[in-house]
Amino acid sequence: MNTVKFRLTGVIELRELKELGLLPPEERLKKGPVAILECPEQIPCNICVPYCGLKAIKMDKITDIPRVDWDKCTGCGLCVAVCPGLAAFVVDLSRNDYDYVTLPHEFLPVPRLGETVTLLNRRGECVGEGVVVRLWEKNKTRVVTVRVPKGLGLEVRAIWVEKKQ
Ligand code: SF4
Ligand code: SF4
């Protein structure tokens, strides 16, 4: 298992997620919204498991890497809301015009529906602009779905919201 690089940098790369088997296969990605749990650290946490009503997340031990059954997952986003590590995301790469990313947002200001926000990758680097299309909250964690340019669905993992006047 190749876990060395992200442990050194603190930022997991797409290639590493793929090597760890944490990315859904292409065919599943094309079908519609699906969860990606970017959680390879094997920390003692399994909160996402009981919250998934479809039992789509599997862990035998609390220190296992959580594995999503991508055929069961409907991309509801509940795991995004409850993950204390902000490591759960839902991506929808099934549309021809845009990708959609559902992510946790615990910073202020809170974006507004329809607002254009700055898109950040896993390193916190700006990769473009997107539009907030859905916004909800559970346990004080805001869950934001953002429409992003096609091709960025596997890159965008946070948003930056301009302060309102
Ligand atoms: S998105 Fe919903 S169905 Fe999919 S793993 Fe998360 S909680 Fe389960
Ligand atoms: S809730 Fe988050 S941190 Fe905990 S096991 Fe699930 S994905 Fe990992």
Side-chain angles (χ1 to χ4, degrees):
M1 186 185 296
N2 178 7
T3 56
V4 176
K5 191 174 172 193
F6 81 82
R7 281 192 175 150
L8 286 175
T9 64
V11 178
I12 195 156
E13 306 288 344
L14 204 52
R15 178 184 59 76
E16 293 168 316
L17 286 170
K18 199 169 186 178
E19 284 172 9
L20 290 164
L22 296 177
L23 280 189
E26 288 277 323
E27 314 80 66
R28 176 61 187 87
L29 286 167
K30 284 181 194 157
K31 282 185 185 165
V34 67
I36 299 178
L37 305 182
E38 303 193 0
C39 179
E41 291 90 353
Q42 296 179 281
I43 52 169
C45 175
N46 65 356
I47 289 173
C48 52
V49 175
Y51 268 101
C52 178
L54 298 175
K55 300 192 187 319
I57 305 174
K58 189 170 180 314
M59 290 173 77
D60 291 330
K61 296 196 308 291
I62 196 167
T63 50
D64 281 349
I65 294 176
R67 302 279 172 186
V68 179
D69 181 334
W70 291 302
D71 292 326
K72 283 187 185 169
C73 173
T74 57
C76 71
L78 202 50
C79 51
V80 178
V82 301
C83 173
L86 310 184
F89 305 90
V90 169
V91 300
D92 183 357
L93 311 187
S94 66
R95 323 278 186 94
N96 290 329
D97 45 1
Y98 294 98
D99 289 340
Y100 292 79
V101 181
T102 299
L103 45 84
H105 182 74
E106 291 195 330
F107 297 105
L108 292 173
V110 179
R112 289 182 297 243
L113 212 53
E115 183 172 354
T116 298
V117 294
T118 300
L119 305 172
L120 307 175
N121 65 13
R122 292 179 183 82
R123 294 176 176 272
E125 298 159 343
C126 169
V127 290
E129 287 189 335
V131 175
V132 174
V133 297
R134 190 171 177 229
L135 191 56
W136 54 284
E137 188 175 325
K138 183 174 181 64
N139 300 348
K140 296 192 178 159
T141 295
R142 287 185 195 86
V143 178
V144 177
T145 300
V146 63
R147 190 180 72 205
V148 309
K150 194 73 199 157
L152 287 186
L154 293 178
E155 296 294 335
V156 172
R157 288 299 175 264
I159 57 171
W160 175 260
V161 185
E162 287 292 328
K163 262 194 187 152
K164 279 94 183 161
Q165 298 297 323

